[in-house]
Amino acid sequence: MDEARRWLRAARRVAVLTGAGISAESGIPTFRGQGGLWRQYRPEDLATPEAFDADPKLVWEWYNWRRSLIAKAQPNPGHRALAQLEERVPEFCLITQNVDGLHERAGSRMVVRLHGDIWTLRCTHCGLSCKNEDPELGELPPRCACGGLQRPGVVWFGENLPAECWQTAEKASRAAEVFLVVGTSAVVMPAAGLAAVAKNAGARVIEVNADDTPLSGWVDASLRGPAGKILPELLAA
Ligand code: OAD
């Protein structure tokens, strides 16, 4: 912990990759592990373009349930610690796989959302995107003014990440002197590969996770515990 703290204090360029674990203490379920969403549901039934084509109402019911959980959640000390870190690092980039928007609500500004935004709806017919932060969407599936079906503005399995976001994330990872990986099982590519991009370009990689991950063996520091406790300790001035 002490060494990781020193690296962070000295760094002028920091990139962070977060996953569902950072929002766990806000009451939002993760995907894998105990209580994880993919223990109760099959991703291929709910998070693929084929699933949406087969049963858009079912997919929307699941997203609507997640939207209602997220609407009630508050950012936790882990989100807030990262927002404070941004204030003191000259070049900072927060890359997240989360779609919940809690980083922004905690005050983070430079956020790259690799997997989209659960509060955005996108028309499958005309392509128009619009923000809708009302957890109650009324009749499902929702429809665009053009009459087309709207889908959640998130990235599903089998889909490409938004190209511009990916380029920004890769560039920040390559430039980082310190790369923090927080609360991700690091199994979903290409996001998980950013830690290797950073390390190969010379960054110190620090992992914060409640459990071991495939990255734990080769990172420079692996800090075990809840992000809401470890991050404030790590970033304490
Ligand atoms: P996962 O659910 O795969 O992993 C969550 C990680 O958080 C695990 O490694 C846990 O050990 C860790 N964790 C749990 N609670 C924690 C806490 N309080 N503090 C720190 N760590 C904690 O979630 P992601 O890695 O984000 O993609 O999953 C990646 C992608 O897979 C998601 O973006 C989503 C999912 O399927 C799509 O839907 C496309």
Side-chain angles (χ1 to χ4, degrees), residues 150-232:
Q150 287 173 311
R151 59 163 279 177
V154 301
V155 176
W156 282 326
F157 288 99
E159 294 185 317
N160 291 328
L161 304 190
E164 206 175 302
C165 290
W166 178 251
Q167 279 157 17
T168 307
E170 226 185 355
K171 192 169 165 214
S173 303
R174 210 172 288 120
E177 294 165 295
V178 171
F179 189 86
L180 262 177
V181 198
V182 184
T184 175
S185 57
V187 295
V188 174
M189 293 302 242
L194 290 171
V197 169
K199 186 150 173 84
N200 291 339
R204 304 267 195 196
V205 180
I206 305 170
E207 178 178 62
V208 176
N209 199 299
D211 273 312
D212 268 7
T213 77
L215 302 184
S216 306
W218 65 260
V219 294
D220 297 288
S222 196
L223 306 174
R224 276 294 145 276
K229 175 172 177 285
I230 302 282
L231 282 177

Side-chain angles (χ1 to χ4, degrees), residues 18-26 28-34 36-38 43 47 62-63 66 76 96-99 114-115 154-158 161 182-189 191 207-214 223-230:
T18 64
I22 194 160
S23 295
E25 290 153 84
S26 297
I28 301 175
T30 60
F31 294 95
R32 295 168 187 84
Q34 221 182 349
L37 294 170
W38 298 149
W62 189 66
Y63 275 92
R66 288 180 58 204
N76 68 54
T96 189
Q97 299 166 87
N98 298 347
V99 296
L114 289 181
H115 292 168
V154 301
V155 176
W156 282 326
F157 288 99
L161 304 190
V182 184
T184 175
S185 57
V187 295
V188 174
M189 293 302 242
E207 178 178 62
V208 176
N209 199 299
D211 273 312
D212 268 7
T213 77
L223 306 174
R224 276 294 145 276
K229 175 172 177 285
I230 302 282

Side-chain angles (χ1 to χ4, degrees), residues 28-222:
I28 301 175
T30 60
F31 294 95
R32 295 168 187 84
Q34 221 182 349
L37 294 170
W38 298 149
R39 290 268 176 114
Q40 305 163 56
Y41 309 98
R42 289 166 12 119
E44 51 273 46
D45 291 340
L46 296 166
T48 64
E50 293 77 19
F52 187 75
D53 287 345
D55 195 342
K57 186 160 189 274
L58 176 75
V59 170
W60 263 117
E61 280 167 356
W62 189 66
Y63 275 92
N64 228 12
W65 168 70
R66 288 180 58 204
R67 283 164 61 100
S68 67
L69 283 183
I70 294 166
K72 287 184 221 126
Q74 297 301 325
N76 68 54
H79 296 108
R80 286 197 288 274
L82 291 178
Q84 284 160 14
L85 180 65
E86 182 171 4
E87 299 301 318
R88 42 181 234 245
V89 175
E91 276 182 52
F92 182 86
C93 183
L94 174 48
I95 306 156
T96 189
Q97 299 166 87
N98 298 347
V99 296
D100 57 32
L102 288 183
H103 283 305
E104 289 86 345
R105 282 172 55 198
S108 286
R109 287 173 287 119
M110 178 56 202
V111 184
V112 176
R113 289 158 163 270
L114 289 181
H115 292 168
D117 172 18
I118 203 164
W119 302 110
T120 295
L121 277 56
R122 190 168 79 241
C123 178
T124 54
H125 182 66
C126 72
L128 185 74
S129 284
C130 65
K131 199 94 174 163
N132 183 328
E133 296 189 348
D134 187 347
E136 294 300 324
L137 282 174
E139 199 182 327
L140 297 178
R143 285 193 179 269
C144 176
C146 82
L149 278 188
Q150 287 173 311
R151 59 163 279 177
V154 301
V155 176
W156 282 326
F157 288 99
E159 294 185 317
N160 291 328
L161 304 190
E164 206 175 302
C165 290
W166 178 251
Q167 279 157 17
T168 307
E170 226 185 355
K171 192 169 165 214
S173 303
R174 210 172 288 120
E177 294 165 295
V178 171
F179 189 86
L180 262 177
V181 198
V182 184
T184 175
S185 57
V187 295
V188 174
M189 293 302 242
L194 290 171
V197 169
K199 186 150 173 84
N200 291 339
R204 304 267 195 196
V205 180
I206 305 170
E207 178 178 62
V208 176
N209 199 299
D211 273 312
D212 268 7
T213 77
L215 302 184
S216 306
W218 65 260
V219 294
D220 297 288
S222 196

